[in-house]
Amino acid sequence: MAEPVTVTINRREVSAQPGDLLIKTAQDNGVYIPRFCWHPRMNPVGMCRMCLVEIDTPRGPLMVTSCTTPVSDGMTVDTTNETVKKAQEGVLEFLLINHPLDCPVCDRAGECPLQDQTMAYGPGESRFVEEKRHFEKPIPISELVMLDRERCILCARCTRFSDEVSGDPLIEFQDRGNHTQVNTFPDEPFRSYFSGNTVQICPVGALTATPYRFRARPWDLTAVESTCQHCSSGDRINLQSSQNRLLRILGVDSEPTNQGWLSDKCRFGFEYVASPARLTVPLVRNPQGELEEATWGEALDYAGGTLREIIARSGGRAVAGLGGARSTNEEAYAFSKFLRAAVGTNNVDCQMDDGLDARLLARVVDRARIADLDKAGSILVWGPDLKEEHPTLYLRVRRAAQELGAGLVVIHPRRTGLDDRASVKITYQPGAGGEVLAELMAGKGRMAEAREVLSQGPVVALLGRPGYGEGPDLAEATAAFVRTLADASILPLARRGNVFGALDMGLSPGLFPGRTQRGTLAYQMLADRWGDIPTASGRDCRGILEGLESGEIQAVVLMGADPIRDVPDGDQARRALGNADLVVAIDQFLTDSSGLADVVFPAMGFAEVEGTITNVESRVLKVNRLAPGPGQSREDWAILADLAARLGVDLGLTSAQQISGEVEEVADIYRGVNWEKLDWEERDGIVVGGDLGYVPVYGECDSVSPAPGQMALHYARTMYDDGVMMRESPSLHPLAPGAAAYLHPLDAEGLGVAPGDRVRITSSHGVLEVEAEIDPSLHHRVVYVPFNQPGASSLGSATMVTVRPL
Amino acid sequence: MVEIRSPSVGKSWSEETRNRASEIIASYPQPRSAVMPLLYLAMAEEGYLTDHGMREVARRVGLTPAQVRSVASFYTMYKREDPGSYLISCCTSISCMLLGSDEILKAIEDETEVLAEQGGAEGLVTVEHVECIGACGGAPAVTVNYELIEGISVERAREMVRWLNKARPETVGGAELQELFGGRRSFDWGPFDRSSAVGPYPAFGPLGTVSIRSQSQDGQHGE
C-alpha cells in the first residue's frame, strides 16, 4: 500500500489511496457525486459529464469529471457550489433533450438513476421545445433484451460491459453525432451469456429484459438477498417478488464472488420455480403401474414400509441415495444422516458420475480462493469451458488475464470463451489428455511457451473435467503436476450449485459431515452422536447404478437428482432405475428419473427454503426464501425426517435452523458458521475448511487415440440445455444450442459432409442422428456434441465414436 | 451503357484483395489497428461497404461485426449505400459558402433530379455536401470521386452533371475535370496521377485501395 494522500472534499479533509478516483474517494467518505457512465467495476470514460466537480488548481478553479480524475495530495474539491450545480443542471437538461420522459410506461421508473438524479440535481423545467429525435421503439436486440434507443443517454455502460467485462462486444455505438445509437450488427443479435447485466446497469430504461418487462413496479417488489444455485460460484443475488411470485433476480456486488455480475442463466433461470409442472402433491405408483396422487401419510407409509422390508431382508447396504447437490447444506445433512443413521448405508453420491474424486474436491491441499485469481501471476485452466459451466469464474479469470496482467494457459478440446485472452491455448484430442499432460510436464515443443507462462507465480490452476470423454484421473494427475510449480494453488471444479456443500455434509461414500474420513477423532465424535454408522464402505454413483442393475442394491432414494439426464450414460441409469424394487424421489418435477419412481414427494426448492450453501472455494453463503412452495410441497429435510420416523428412527431434526446448529456441532470446520452471522455482518460468506491435506496423486492416465474409422468424442455441457430447470424456464430453454455434430473442416470433407447434412454418431452406448456443423477450432479427428440437448439421445460415457453421413 | 464497375457485392474477396488485406494487417502491431484501411479495401472490392464487407473486415482484424460497423458508421467517407458511379461532394464550409456553394449544391441537385426524371441514369450520381475539403483558396470547390475541381460556377456545375451522364467516363481525373469545368485554381496541383483515380471511394496510396486497381490493370484505366 502506498502512502495515503489527503484530499479536502467540501471543506472536509479525507485520506485516500493515490490513484483512487475522486468520485470513489468522495463516495467512500459519504459524498455522493451524481453519475451515469461511471461504474465501479468498469474503467472510467467520462462520457456523461454528470460527475463534474470543481477542483482548485494553481491557475484557479477548474471543472473536472470526478470519474476520470485521480486524487492527489492536497487536492481541494467542491462538489456542491453554484458552478457545480449549474453544470449538473446543464448536463441533465442536455441529457433530457432527447429523452422521451415516458416514465409512466417505463419499467425503470421508480429505480431510474436518470429520474432520481433529475429530481435531486436537475433543473425544474426544460427549455427545449423542438422535436425530439425518434427511433423505432423498442427493438429486440436478443431473445432476452429489448432496446429503446429514444430513452438511451449514450453512457456506454452496456457497450463497455460487453467489451471489457464479458468479452463479447456484440453491441456498439453506431452512427455519429445526434444520430448516435447503441445497436447490434444487423442480423447478429446480442446473444451473450451475460446480456442481463447490461439491463441491470443501464441508468435509464433503454435496456429491458423480456422476462421482466411490464411485470411489476419497483415499489411493489418484495426483496431478499440470497445466493444463486445454478453453478457452484456462489453468486450473491437479490430475489424480488410481487404477490408471492418470483419476478426478477439482480446481481449483488459481493467482492469475493460475483462482484455484481450474473450470467443470464442465474438471472433468468428462475422461471421454473413458478412452472405449472411443479409437483404439488405426493404421488404413489398404483397396482396398475401409474403414478397416482396420494396423501402425505399414504406416501410416507408406502415408501417407509417398503424401505423397511428391504432393509430387513437385505440390510441397509441394499439401499442407496443419489443427489443433494442442488439442495441446501441443511437438506444435504439431513440426507446424509437419513442414509447413514436411519437406513444404515454408505451408498451415497451427490455427483452424477460427471465430477472428480470427492477427496480432491473436498480436501485438496493448497486449495485456491477465487480472489487468488486477482493476484495470480499465471492461471492454468484445464477443465470445462468456464464460460459454459462456471460463468462467474469465467468473468474473474477473464478480468485477471485482461485487466490484471496474469498469464493464462487454456487447455481444452475446442475453443473456449477465454481463448482470446489466453497467452497459450492448447487444443487436443479427448483421450489424449495424458499425453498432453506428459508434454506439459516435459515442457518441450509447443509446451515450452506454456511452461514459460506458468513459471510466473503465484499460479492458480482451475481443474475439472473438460468433457465426458475424459475421466476424473486427468484432473487429479494435473493437480499433482501443478503442485510442482512455484507458489501454486488449485481450485477443483465440479458441477451443480451446492456440490461442495453436499460433499461437506457427507454425500459421498467415504466422506462424512465436516469432510471427515473414517478413523479420525471427528468421525468418532460423529458416530457417537449419530449412533450406528455402517462400517461397510459405500458405492459412488456409478457403483450404485451398477448395483441396481445387478440387483445388489434394491432401493434408491433420489433427492433432486435426475440420473437419467445427468450421468454420462443415461441409458444405464434408466436400466438401473427400472430394475430397482423401490425408487423414492424427492423432487420438484416429474423428471425422466422421478417419473420412474414408486413414490414421489413434492419438494420445495430455490427461493422457497432457507439455509446455507457452500461454494467452490468453500465459502458458506446464506440462501433465503421469498415465495411459498407450491401446493403441499415440503422441505427436503422434513420429508426425510418423516421417512426416518417410518423406519423407526428419530433423526432429531426440527427445523432448517436447528440442523444448521447441529452441523455446527458435528462438523468441526463449520464451527462458528451460523445463520445470524451470514444474514448480517457476514453476507459475503464465511470460508470454511481450508487445506485438509489431501495430496493429489500423479497417475499415468490412459491415452487412447481413435482407431481407423473412429473419432474422439468431446461430449460437454453447455450453459443452456435440456435439464429440467432449463426446460421449465421458457425464456432460456429456446437458447439451448441443440444437438449437433461439430466437425473439423478436414474431417467433414473426408466424410463428405456439408454443414446441415445429417450424420449418425455411434458409440458403444448409444446412437445419435444429428446435423453436422463445421468447427475449425476442433482438433483433427474429434467430434464435439453438446450434452443433454432437446430431443437428443445420450451417447453414454464413450471416448471413441464412429461418424457416418446419412 | 458502359459497365463501369464489375459488381461483386456479397462475393468473397478476390485473392488480390485478400493478399492486400494480409499485407496491411501485417504492417501493424495489432490486427485491429488495420480496421480503417481494410474498410476502404472492402469498399473498393464491392463498390461500397456492405454488411458482407464489414463481416469480412471483422473476421480478419479480430473484432466483432458490430465494432467494425461502429467505426464504419462514424466516418462519412465509408459509404454504406451504393453511391453509384460518380460521387459529387460539394463543399459547404465557410470559404465555399461565402462564394456561393449553396447555389452550386442546389444546381447540382437540381440537374441530377432532371436526369432522374428523364430516366436512364439510375445509380449514376450521388450528391452530398461535405465539410472543408482543403481547397479554400480555390473556393467554391467540389470533388467528383474525390477528384478536385476548383472555382466552379453554377452553370459549369450543371454542365458537369450533364457531361457525366453523357460521357460516362470510366474514371474521372482532376486535371481533366478542372480543365472542363473549373475556374481559377488556387495553385498548381502537379502532374495528375491517373493510377490514383479509382471510383467513388478514396484511393489511399501505400496502404489503401489504389494499388489493387493499378496492379490489376497495369496502372491503365483505359478510356
Side-chain angles (χ1 to χ4, degrees), chain A residues 163 168-177 181 183-188 421, chain B residues 32 50-52 54-55 64-71 73-76 80:
Chain A
D163 188 19
D168 36 22
L170 299 168
I171 46 171
E172 194 43 274
F173 281 146
Q174 310 287 334
D175 303 320
R176 70 189 251 182
Q181 51 163 316
N183 214 330
T184 60
F185 195 73
D187 68 48
E188 188 157 316
R421 292 292 159 198
Chain B
R32 62 183 289 159
T50 61
D51 284 358
H52 167 76
M54 287 186 267
R55 270 205 199 90
T64 63
Q67 289 174 308
V68 171
R69 194 170 186 269
S70 179
V71 175
S73 62
F74 185 84
Y75 295 102
T76 51
R80 286 180 298 139

Side-chain angles (χ1 to χ4, degrees), chain A residues 185-187, chain B residues 5 7-13 38-58 65 68-69 72 78-83:
Chain A
F185 195 73
D187 68 48
Chain B
R5 273 196 322 277
S8 51
V9 175
K11 287 191 193 147
S12 54
W13 287 2
L38 250 59
L39 282 169
Y40 282 120
L41 211 56
M43 259 168 80
E45 183 69 14
E46 297 185 74
Y48 67 103
L49 206 46
T50 61
D51 284 358
H52 167 76
M54 287 186 267
R55 270 205 199 90
E56 284 286 308
V57 173
V68 171
R69 194 170 186 269
Y78 293 123
K79 301 297 174 197
R80 286 180 298 139
E81 274 162 22
D82 192 348

Side-chain angles (χ1 to χ4, degrees), chain B:
Chain B
M1 191 177 163
V2 188
E3 184 61 35
I4 292 168
R5 273 196 322 277
S6 54
S8 51
V9 175
K11 287 191 193 147
S12 54
W13 287 2
S14 67
E15 200 187 326
E16 264 175 296
T17 309
R18 291 200 305 269
N19 292 341
R20 190 83 193 110
S22 310
E23 270 173 46
I24 296 172
I25 291 168
S27 67
Y28 293 97
Q30 308 243 340
R32 62 183 289 159
S33 309
V35 63
M36 298 191 65
L38 250 59
L39 282 169
Y40 282 120
L41 211 56
M43 259 168 80
E45 183 69 14
E46 297 185 74
Y48 67 103
L49 206 46
T50 61
D51 284 358
H52 167 76
M54 287 186 267
R55 270 205 199 90
E56 284 286 308
V57 173
R59 197 164 59 78
R60 280 161 213 280
V61 301
L63 294 171
T64 63
Q67 289 174 308
V68 171
R69 194 170 186 269
S70 179
V71 175
S73 62
F74 185 84
Y75 295 102
T76 51
M77 277 168 77
Y78 293 123
K79 301 297 174 197
R80 286 180 298 139
E81 274 162 22
D82 192 348
S85 303
Y86 307 109
L87 174 68
I88 305 176
S89 314
C90 184
C91 175
T92 52
S93 279
I94 188 147
S95 302
C96 292
M97 193 267 277
L98 290 172
L99 288 164
S101 66
D102 287 352
E103 284 74 34
I104 288 162
L105 178 61
K106 201 160 159 286
I108 295 172
E109 282 172 348
D110 184 49
E111 203 61 41
T112 51
E113 266 167 44
V114 171
L115 282 186
E117 278 162 23
Q118 288 168 351
E122 290 91 16
L124 189 73
V125 174
T126 296
V127 184
E128 63 177 6
H129 68 93
V130 293
E131 296 307 322
C132 186
I133 52 178
C136 306
V142 300
T143 61
V144 178
N145 290 355
Y146 301 104
E147 295 291 322
L148 184 65
I149 310 167
E150 291 181 312
I152 200 166
S153 67
V154 168
E155 213 28 63
R156 288 289 181 82
R158 286 182 184 276
E159 271 172 39
M160 181 189 73
V161 177
R162 288 197 290 267
W163 176 79
L164 284 173
N165 182 38
K166 202 163 145 243
R168 306 210 172 179
E170 190 160 329
T171 54
V172 292
E176 185 182 21
L177 289 170
Q178 181 69 34
E179 199 180 312
L180 287 173
F181 310 108
R184 188 177 55 80
R185 294 169 82 190
S186 52
F187 63 89
D188 188 351
W189 291 87
F192 171 59
D193 173 13
R194 191 155 282 283
S195 73
S196 75
V198 288
Y201 29 81
F204 287 89
L207 288 178
T209 59
V210 56
S211 58
I212 295 230
R213 294 293 155 135
S214 51
Q215 276 162 18
S216 62
Q217 296 167 24
D218 295 318
Q220 296 302 309
H221 286 265
E223 268 132 310

